[in-house]
Amino acid sequence: MSIEKWFEDYDKLAETGDIEKLADMAVFPMNVVTDVPGGYAAAKQWTREEYVEAMKEAMGGGTADLNLRSKRTPHHLTENLCVVETEATMTIDGQEQTMHYADLLVRTEDGWAFQTMVQGGWGYGWEPAKRG
């Protein structure tokens, strides 16, 4: 399955808010990297349960009403590792908002899966990342 087909399937599930099936498309623990507003980067590893909880909060009943439009640019590091940069636009309460984020997809025996999510602005209340 191609990266493009994988995202087509992902987007259909996101539209309907089927978070459990979205979680089936991931490898856990999942790395999540963001930043702390006014601070530094932050990183966590989520279990499947933490991912499901966070996505239910973020997506609610799905993305169908958001007029979501995404431009994705895959960067294959190897035939089994692909960083996908996404620029997305959505409409919330009549206001257009943009997002810029990246995902690391890894090829598994069952096909592509996402393993790392990187997006700024999620780090409210997170501890800043520490070296070492």
Side-chain angles (χ1 to χ4, degrees):
M1 173 187 304
S2 71
I3 294 289
E4 292 78 11
K5 172 67 172 130
W6 185 91
F7 271 109
E8 184 180 309
D9 293 346
Y10 178 91
D11 288 343
K12 285 178 187 172
L13 293 171
E15 283 181 12
T16 62
D18 197 336
I19 307 301
E20 290 293 337
K21 286 190 180 168
L22 289 174
D24 290 343
M25 298 177 76
V27 171
F28 296 96
M30 176 185 291
N31 295 310
V32 183
V33 182
T34 188
D35 57 357
V36 177
Y40 300 95
K44 288 186 177 188
Q45 283 193 321
W46 279 349
T47 63
R48 180 185 175 103
E49 294 76 22
E50 290 169 316
Y51 168 83
V52 167
E53 182 181 322
M55 290 302 107
K56 281 182 180 176
E57 210 173 289
M59 286 186 178
T63 61
D65 294 337
L66 299 179
N67 190 26
L68 184 61
R69 300 173 310 281
S70 299
K71 178 183 178 239
R72 295 189 174 101
T73 306
H75 302 278
H76 287 269
L77 305 177
T78 70
E79 64 183 300
N80 301 310
L81 303 172
C82 186
V83 175
V84 180
E85 186 177 5
T86 301
E87 297 204 30
T89 304
M90 68 177 128
T91 305
I92 299 175
D93 297 327
Q95 297 287 83
E96 206 168 77
Q97 297 184 11
T98 60
M99 298 182 298
H100 187 208
Y101 58 93
D103 298 296
L104 172 64
L105 274 64
V106 298
R107 189 187 312 265
T108 70
E109 290 179 352
D110 299 319
W112 288 104
F114 63 107
Q115 198 289 315
T116 300
M117 300 186 325
V118 180
Q119 182 178 6
W122 282 58
Y124 296 97
W126 290 28
E127 290 293 319
K130 304 277 187 220
R131 290 172 31 163

